[in-house]
Amino acid sequence: MSTQTGLQTVGQVMRPPTTIEPGAHLAAAAYVIEHRHDPALVVVTDDTHVPVAMITDAEITRAVAHRRNLENTRVSEVARTKLVPVRADATAEEAARLMVSQGLHHLPVVDDHGLVGMVDLRDLYEVSFPAP
């Protein structure tokens, strides 16, 4: 990994989070993923907007493979509840190391006030290897 990633913070690399509520059905999650071109959604409580889980295109694909009804299955039934957040002031290199050590592709970004963004491997790759 380039030393350039250590110079940037996650807050400089992150993008706005795409969120969904736990009670939404998987068809809605698939729609949001497709139309927002975002492979991961942060599941947030509807009242406090606190991140409680994450759902990715992989969980939806698994649900389809297991013939789950996307209209009847709720996000909360298949979302990954083991959230590993990263702080906005962490370096991009620290975020990359965290992803590798935890086997994750996406991290919610938080600050003292809660959810502020999302960072994934693609974002960190673009920092490490900028286009010519």
Side-chain angles (χ1 to χ4, degrees), residues 1-9 12 92-93 126-130:
M1 189 174 297
S2 165
T3 57
Q4 184 178 6
T5 59
L7 302 176
Q8 297 216 24
T9 66
Q12 294 170 306
E93 185 174 345
E126 289 173 358
V127 171
S128 299
F129 306 102

Side-chain angles (χ1 to χ4, degrees), residues 34-49:
E34 174 64 21
H35 286 26
R36 294 275 183 104
H37 306 288
D38 199 341
L41 308 176
V42 181
V43 182
V44 296
T45 57
D46 54 356
D47 53 346
T48 61
H49 209 65

Side-chain angles (χ1 to χ4, degrees), residues 15 18-20 25-43 54-61 75 78-80 106 118 122:
R15 54 193 157 68
T18 304
T19 62
I20 196 160
H25 49 75
L26 288 187
Y31 180 88
V32 171
I33 284 173
E34 174 64 21
H35 286 26
R36 294 275 183 104
H37 306 288
D38 199 341
L41 308 176
V42 181
V43 182
M54 186 169 300
I55 186 162
T56 68
D57 51 3
E59 281 87 28
I60 295 171
T61 299
V75 166
V78 299
R80 240 182 325 116
H106 318 275
M118 172 74 86
R122 179 188 64 219

Side-chain angles (χ1 to χ4, degrees), residues 58-70:
E59 281 87 28
I60 295 171
T61 299
R62 262 188 235 94
V64 169
H66 290 127
R67 297 184 172 192
R68 306 259 326 237
N69 182 316
L70 299 186

